[in-house]
Amino acid sequence: NLNLGRALERVGRFHDALARYRKAIEIDPSVPSSYLLVGSAHAHGAGRLDLAVPWFEQAARIDPGNPNYSLAIAGCHVDLGDMGAARRWLDDATRHGADYQDVATVDALMRLYEGDWTGVRQISRKVLETDPRNPHALNMLQIVGARAGRRADVLGLYAQGFPELASADPPVVD
């Protein structure tokens, strides 16, 4: 049911995917990833973050040590504008061992919404030190750079992360 649901979601059949995920929950309600997938379909398929949060929270209740559920909840709260709840869930994810880059993505987004351009820049640059192709960090720096009128700096970061894009040679397609 979960694999079929994912396949249906990939082709945009979110209603059908939700039915498969709910069937999986009916079969075994102790599997937290089923709840995560329902929440993701609501959040990303229907744009209903408010409906996603309770499903993500149920996954976190079933598997409270998994930082991925806390990150999903934090991300929803950021987009819903509740920075206090987002920070609490982000702290929970950090306590449970979330990867720095995943935490940094949500933290940078929070700071972007709060107008803390320096914080966004610092976090994103730190991520790029170990992952120069990180799309989230590059996007955050693109936003901050555009706001500051520093387009050339941002293009330089893309050139560092993706040198093949900056080459004068035509791309090779294999």
Side-chain angles (χ1 to χ4, degrees):
N1 280 308
L2 294 180
N3 288 333
L4 178 56
R6 284 189 204 118
L8 290 165
E9 205 171 339
R10 281 189 201 104
V11 296
R13 293 176 53 189
F14 298 106
H15 180 75
D16 294 332
L18 280 168
R20 303 292 8 159
Y21 299 150
R22 287 191 174 117
K23 181 67 175 174
I25 291 169
E26 182 182 311
I27 292 169
D28 187 353
S30 69
V31 178
S33 61
S34 300
Y35 298 91
L36 178 72
L37 291 168
V38 171
S40 293
H42 281 299
H44 306 297
R48 292 295 310 269
L49 300 171
D50 58 322
L51 296 179
V53 169
W55 292 97
F56 291 153
E57 288 175 343
Q58 180 60 24
R61 278 191 290 278
I62 293 170
D63 187 5
N66 188 323
N68 295 322
Y69 307 131
S70 300
L71 285 168
I73 298 165
C76 282
H77 281 298
V78 169
D79 287 338
L80 289 168
D82 187 347
M83 297 308 161
R87 179 64 61 199
R88 286 190 299 279
W89 283 103
L90 190 60
D91 291 345
D92 185 71
T94 301
R95 270 193 310 281
H96 289 104
D99 290 335
Y100 172 77
Q101 290 169 325
D102 294 333
V103 171
T105 296
V106 177
D107 193 13
L109 185 60
M110 285 176 60
R111 290 170 190 264
L112 182 71
Y113 286 174
E114 295 169 335
D116 178 5
W117 312 115
T118 301
V120 173
R121 193 177 304 108
Q122 289 171 343
I123 292 167
S124 299
R125 286 191 180 278
K126 184 174 180 184
V127 167
L128 291 179
E129 288 173 7
T130 57
D131 183 7
R133 291 179 174 238
N134 185 289
H136 303 293
L138 287 167
N139 188 45
M140 291 292 136
L141 288 171
Q142 179 181 4
I143 292 167
V144 172
R147 187 180 189 304
R150 303 194 54 105
R151 183 175 178 270
D153 292 348
V154 175
L155 291 176
L157 292 171
Y158 276 93
Q160 287 173 2
F162 298 91
E164 63 275 17
L165 296 177
S167 172
D169 298 327
V172 176
V173 178
D174 52 11

Short mmCIF file of all heavy atoms in Angstrom, two decimals, residues 38 42 44 59 61 67 72 83 92 105 112 115 120 132 148 152:
data_model
loop_
_atom_site.label_atom_id
_atom_site.label_comp_id
_atom_site.label_asym_id
_atom_site.label_seq_id
_atom_site.Cartn_x
_atom_site.Cartn_y
_atom_site.Cartn_z
N VAL A 38 0.88 10.30 4.85
CA VAL A 38 -0.41 11.00 4.78
C VAL A 38 -0.17 12.50 4.95
O VAL A 38 -0.70 13.33 4.18
CB VAL A 38 -1.40 10.49 5.85
CG1 VAL A 38 -2.64 11.38 5.90
CG2 VAL A 38 -1.80 9.06 5.57
N HIS A 42 -0.83 15.61 2.22
CA HIS A 42 -1.62 16.82 2.53
C HIS A 42 -0.77 18.07 2.31
O HIS A 42 -1.23 19.04 1.71
CB HIS A 42 -2.13 16.79 3.97
CG HIS A 42 -3.32 15.92 4.18
ND1 HIS A 42 -4.52 16.13 3.54
CD2 HIS A 42 -3.49 14.83 4.95
CE1 HIS A 42 -5.39 15.21 3.92
NE2 HIS A 42 -4.79 14.39 4.77
N HIS A 44 2.28 18.55 0.64
CA HIS A 44 2.90 18.80 -0.66
C HIS A 44 1.95 18.57 -1.83
O HIS A 44 2.09 19.21 -2.86
CB HIS A 44 4.16 17.96 -0.81
CG HIS A 44 5.12 18.15 0.32
ND1 HIS A 44 5.71 19.37 0.60
CD2 HIS A 44 5.55 17.30 1.28
CE1 HIS A 44 6.48 19.25 1.66
NE2 HIS A 44 6.40 18.01 2.10
N ALA A 59 2.96 10.46 13.83
CA ALA A 59 4.19 9.71 13.54
C ALA A 59 5.22 9.94 14.64
O ALA A 59 5.88 9.00 15.09
CB ALA A 59 4.75 10.13 12.18
N ARG A 61 4.61 10.71 17.76
CA ARG A 61 4.18 10.02 18.99
C ARG A 61 4.53 8.53 18.94
O ARG A 61 4.93 7.94 19.94
CB ARG A 61 2.67 10.18 19.20
CG ARG A 61 2.29 11.50 19.83
CD ARG A 61 0.82 11.51 20.27
NE ARG A 61 -0.10 11.54 19.15
CZ ARG A 61 -0.45 12.65 18.48
NH1 ARG A 61 0.05 13.82 18.82
NH2 ARG A 61 -1.31 12.59 17.49
N PRO A 67 14.16 12.06 14.42
CA PRO A 67 14.17 13.50 14.17
C PRO A 67 13.47 13.92 12.89
O PRO A 67 13.09 15.08 12.75
CB PRO A 67 15.67 13.83 14.10
CG PRO A 67 16.31 12.56 13.67
CD PRO A 67 15.49 11.45 14.29
N ALA A 72 9.75 17.60 9.98
CA ALA A 72 8.56 17.82 9.14
C ALA A 72 7.58 18.75 9.84
O ALA A 72 7.02 19.67 9.22
CB ALA A 72 7.91 16.48 8.82
N MET A 83 6.40 30.53 14.56
CA MET A 83 7.84 30.34 14.77
C MET A 83 8.15 29.73 16.13
O MET A 83 9.12 29.00 16.28
CB MET A 83 8.59 31.66 14.61
CG MET A 83 8.49 32.26 13.22
SD MET A 83 8.95 31.09 11.93
CE MET A 83 8.20 31.87 10.53
N ASP A 92 13.67 19.81 19.22
CA ASP A 92 13.42 18.39 19.43
C ASP A 92 14.19 17.56 18.41
O ASP A 92 14.81 16.55 18.76
CB ASP A 92 11.91 18.11 19.33
CG ASP A 92 11.58 16.68 19.66
OD1 ASP A 92 11.68 16.30 20.85
OD2 ASP A 92 11.22 15.92 18.74
N THR A 105 18.49 23.80 7.28
CA THR A 105 17.51 24.18 6.26
C THR A 105 16.29 24.84 6.90
O THR A 105 15.85 25.91 6.47
CB THR A 105 17.08 22.94 5.45
OG1 THR A 105 18.22 22.44 4.74
CG2 THR A 105 15.98 23.27 4.48
N LEU A 112 14.89 33.53 7.57
CA LEU A 112 14.50 34.27 6.38
C LEU A 112 13.14 34.94 6.61
O LEU A 112 12.97 36.13 6.34
CB LEU A 112 14.42 33.33 5.17
CG LEU A 112 14.07 33.97 3.84
CD1 LEU A 112 15.21 34.83 3.34
CD2 LEU A 112 13.74 32.88 2.83
N GLY A 115 13.40 37.86 8.83
CA GLY A 115 14.20 38.99 8.33
C GLY A 115 15.61 39.03 8.87
O GLY A 115 16.28 40.06 8.78
N VAL A 120 20.68 33.93 8.12
CA VAL A 120 20.46 33.08 6.93
C VAL A 120 21.78 32.88 6.20
O VAL A 120 22.14 31.76 5.83
CB VAL A 120 19.42 33.71 5.98
CG1 VAL A 120 19.33 32.93 4.68
CG2 VAL A 120 18.06 33.80 6.64
N PRO A 132 28.70 21.80 -1.12
CA PRO A 132 28.61 22.97 -1.99
C PRO A 132 27.47 22.93 -3.00
O PRO A 132 27.18 23.94 -3.64
CB PRO A 132 29.96 22.99 -2.70
CG PRO A 132 30.54 21.64 -2.52
CD PRO A 132 29.93 21.04 -1.30
N ALA A 148 20.17 42.00 -1.30
CA ALA A 148 21.30 42.90 -1.05
C ALA A 148 21.94 43.42 -2.34
O ALA A 148 22.91 44.18 -2.28
CB ALA A 148 22.35 42.19 -0.20
N ALA A 152 26.21 38.74 -8.30
CA ALA A 152 27.47 38.13 -8.74
C ALA A 152 28.02 37.17 -7.68
O ALA A 152 28.55 36.11 -8.01
CB ALA A 152 28.50 39.21 -9.05
#
